[in-house]
Amino acid sequence: MSAPELPAPPQLPGWRHTYSGKVRDLYVPADGERGRVLVVASDRISAYDHVLSGGIPDKGKVLTAMSLWWFERLADLVPHHVLSTDVPDAVAGRAMVCRELEMFPVECVARGYLTGSGLAEYRAGGAVCGIPLPDGLVDGSRLPEPVFTPATKAELGEHDENVSFEHVAGVVGARAAAELRELTLAVYARAEAVAREQGIVLADTKLEFGRADGRTVLGDEVLTPDSSRFWPAEEWQPGRAQPSFDKQFVRDWLTSPTSGWDRTGDAPPPPLPAEVVERTRARYVEAYERLTGESFTG
């Protein structure tokens, strides 16, 4: 699958653009200074390996605010990469100046509940990433204990692929792999307890780590609706797909007859209707406000 075509990133004084992902744009100091990177969260939204035209207003600000909130609450478990929120006015509220990291080439995933690609693996062989699970689990089942289910980092436009712990150890070394597993499960345990207190189920989350000054550091975004599955606890019901605080409305519309989009063809997805955009924005904002207890001001 070819990489999606992305809109041109904004030009920012003092910074030089170096990379764009599905959601984020990265910049380095224009004067050549090393060690810092500006991470900008756009309002772009992706689904089924396509970046959709338009976007979700304020999505980047919600993701940034939520990540900053979580980084603060996880700092005693693992250092994070944020240095400052003093950023150019054009990206205020949606950007962070971060420490440049040497990233581990692995997606660190913790699962406390069975769904998504983990469910598909379980149905095929009774295990996820080589970890055997009990019989009789269904979509949305809570696992006996959280599990570390890493994945390879895919190129833009491609799928991540679930891999075993042994695979990770072969890539980064046994000691680093063990540390990544320990940190991932510790972050998940802390976040799951915080979310539960707010009436939210944290089903799973994807983390990224890097190295700086000989230490393992938590990078990228953390515990947002784009990197985690958050479900309203009062609506959790194993045996079906769960309502979620993310782009569920986007996926549902794209797969409905109303959209007219053939996912098996080469045509890009159609523009989202205004109602889907607004309902998706409201869901992201609700996730932030419900988790943090703070009002989102945009």
Side-chain angles (χ1 to χ4, degrees):
M1 182 179 294
S2 61
E5 189 171 327
L6 302 175
Q11 299 297 309
L12 301 176
W15 296 91
R16 177 174 59 84
H17 176 259
T18 59
Y19 174 79
S20 289
K22 289 181 181 179
V23 174
R24 282 167 182 75
D25 299 308
L26 303 183
Y27 298 75
V28 296
D31 62 7
E33 177 192 351
R34 301 293 300 272
R36 294 189 304 146
V37 61
L38 181 69
V39 181
V40 180
S42 75
D43 290 338
R44 296 191 293 269
I45 191 165
S46 65
Y48 303 113
D49 297 313
H50 289 270
V51 176
L52 280 65
S53 61
I56 306 299
D58 292 325
K59 176 174 175 281
K61 291 185 177 181
V62 171
L63 298 184
T64 300
M66 190 175 289
S67 288
L68 290 169
W69 189 85
W70 279 114
F71 279 132
E72 185 177 321
R73 281 150 185 81
L74 298 169
D76 62 316
L77 293 178
V78 58
H80 59 74
H81 67 156
V82 180
L83 296 172
S84 169
T85 54
D86 183 12
V87 300
D89 290 343
V91 292
R94 64 173 65 250
M96 307 176 292
V97 179
C98 298
R99 179 179 291 108
E100 191 173 18
L101 304 177
E102 182 183 354
M103 301 302 294
F104 288 104
V106 60
E107 306 279 5
C108 294
V109 180
R111 301 177 190 270
Y113 294 75
L114 189 62
T115 194
S117 63
L119 176 65
E121 259 193 77
Y122 170 78
R123 285 174 170 168
V128 181
C129 294
I131 302 171
L133 297 176
D135 294 337
L137 300 182
V138 296
D139 193 355
S141 287
R142 185 170 186 172
L143 301 178
E145 61 181 11
V147 293
F148 177 63
T149 58
T152 57
K153 285 187 179 182
E155 295 297 321
L156 189 63
E158 301 293 334
H159 290 289
D160 293 341
E161 180 182 352
N162 291 348
V163 296
S164 67
F165 175 79
E166 289 72 24
H167 178 92
V168 175
V171 172
V172 303
R175 179 176 297 181
E179 183 185 29
L180 292 176
R181 178 172 60 186
E182 179 182 355
L183 288 173
T184 299
L185 293 174
V187 167
Y188 176 81
R190 170 74 58 83
E192 190 275 335
V194 171
R196 187 168 6 100
E197 290 178 358
Q198 304 303 322
I200 293 175
V201 171
L202 174 58
D204 54 42
T205 193
K206 173 182 70 69
L207 306 173
E208 295 197 33
F209 296 92
R211 297 284 289 176
D213 302 324
R215 297 189 304 170
T216 298
V217 178
L218 182 58
D220 197 52
E221 66 177 334
V222 62
L223 292 156
T224 72
D226 273 15
S227 65
S228 313
R229 285 187 176 91
F230 294 109
W231 300 333
E234 70 276 9
E235 298 181 59
W236 172 56
Q237 183 180 325
R240 62 173 174 83
Q242 311 299 316
S244 57
F245 291 106
D246 60 9
K247 48 194 173 189
Q248 175 185 343
F249 292 122
V250 172
R251 296 190 195 97
D252 289 350
W253 184 79
L254 286 173
T255 55
S256 72
T258 306
S259 76
W261 181 49
D262 179 9
R263 285 177 55 193
T264 63
D266 295 328
L272 298 174
E275 179 187 7
V276 174
V277 170
E278 181 52 38
R279 292 178 73 186
T280 303
R281 179 191 180 278
R283 205 63 166 157
Y284 275 84
V285 170
E286 182 184 358
Y288 172 80
E289 293 186 339
R290 190 160 168 177
L291 267 172
T292 68
E294 302 169 2
S295 296
F296 176 74
T297 56

